[in-house]
Amino acid sequence: MLNVGLTGGIASGKSTVARMLADKGALLIDFDELAHSVEEPDRPAWREILRHFGPEFLRPDRTIDRRKLGAVVFADRGKLELLNRLVHPAVVAEWRRRMDEIGKRRPDAIVLSDIPLLIEAGFRPLVDLVVLVHLSPEEQVSRLMKRDGYGRQEALQRLASQMPIDEKLPLADIVVRNDGSPEQTGVQVEALWEELKQREELRRAAAG
């Protein structure tokens, strides 16, 4: 199977591109969804977050208040790095489990892993190639404010927690530019899907 990593910057439109590719037949693994899963009450990552950050970040139903926790960790790089160290190993373990299942069931699949911190977290070796959804930083801030209701300062703070998107460009194998119309993005995704199918065909041929 072809193992594709999809990344971008916050509010870059990565999830939109992921849905488009899933509609075309890619099997999608969403790392944000995996993080939610491993942080469910009483799971090991949940216990570690509770131990290091305290019970004030729990909702009445004992789930983690991610927005409240995010406001703290995105204002303190050390705390953000600690949270990532607590959560990422569990997320990767769950990802490997799902990849193994897909490999047994669909060895010819194109698997798309939507990984926000693919480059920052050192996940590049996990995938065969990297697709980057690119958007200018100023447009990222504007979309983040509109999408999540953040003030400009909070949006800039969230953006600053990630590697600048322009620095990711030379590290990507394929770039989707998302600063045009939805139709223009769709044209690029169509071309990307055709390339991914060709790569998977070549991989199968090489494997015999």
Side-chain angles (χ1 to χ4, degrees):
M1 63 186 176
L2 188 65
N3 176 8
V4 183
L6 179 71
T7 194
I10 191 167
S12 63
K14 177 176 51 61
S15 296
T16 298
V17 171
R19 285 194 298 272
M20 288 179 174
L21 289 168
D23 287 343
K24 293 181 181 300
L27 299 185
L28 179 62
I29 301 178
D30 185 334
F31 265 49
D32 279 342
E33 186 269 322
L34 293 185
H36 279 279
S37 174
V38 303
E39 292 172 9
E40 288 176 354
D42 299 314
R43 297 197 68 177
W46 179 90
R47 292 195 192 99
E48 286 299 297
I49 293 170
L50 192 63
R51 184 164 72 88
H52 285 86
F53 290 95
E56 62 267 31
F57 294 100
L58 292 184
R59 297 190 182 95
D61 64 0
R62 299 176 71 239
T63 59
I64 292 169
D65 188 331
R66 292 166 66 91
R67 179 143 188 171
K68 183 177 179 181
L69 182 58
V72 171
V73 300
F74 285 113
D76 186 323
R77 185 168 294 275
K79 290 180 179 178
L80 178 60
E81 290 173 353
L82 170 61
L83 180 63
N84 288 338
R85 288 198 301 272
L86 299 177
V87 174
H88 284 172
V91 168
V92 171
E94 178 64 16
W95 174 83
R96 291 187 188 281
R97 187 187 68 77
R98 295 193 187 187
M99 289 292 289
D100 287 343
E101 286 183 353
I102 293 170
K104 292 171 184 174
R105 190 176 73 249
R106 291 276 308 278
D108 60 343
I110 296 173
V111 183
L112 185 72
S113 296
D114 181 343
I115 311 176
L117 299 180
L118 188 154
I119 294 169
E120 294 94 326
F123 291 157
R124 177 65 180 83
L126 295 178
V127 299
D128 297 331
L129 74 156
V130 173
V131 176
L132 174 70
V133 181
H134 183 272
L135 190 68
S136 72
E138 187 56 40
E139 187 63 22
Q140 284 181 266
V141 170
S142 176
R143 291 189 186 186
L144 187 56
M145 291 170 66
K146 183 178 180 180
R147 186 189 74 185
D148 293 347
Y150 293 140
R152 182 172 178 81
Q153 190 57 40
E154 189 174 8
L156 287 168
Q157 193 177 70
R158 295 290 175 121
L159 202 66
S161 73
Q162 297 184 345
M163 180 179 181
I165 196 165
D166 287 342
E167 293 181 15
K168 297 180 181 181
L169 282 169
L171 304 174
D173 299 295
I174 302 170
V175 177
V176 175
R177 303 277 180 175
N178 195 33
D179 52 359
S181 67
E183 291 76 20
Q184 289 171 319
T185 299
V187 169
Q188 294 177 77
V189 171
E190 181 65 41
L192 169 59
W193 179 243
E194 292 303 316
E195 179 169 349
L196 295 180
K197 289 194 296 184
Q198 289 174 11
R199 285 178 181 247
E200 171 55 17
E201 289 173 3
L202 288 172
R203 187 202 64 78
R204 289 202 307 270

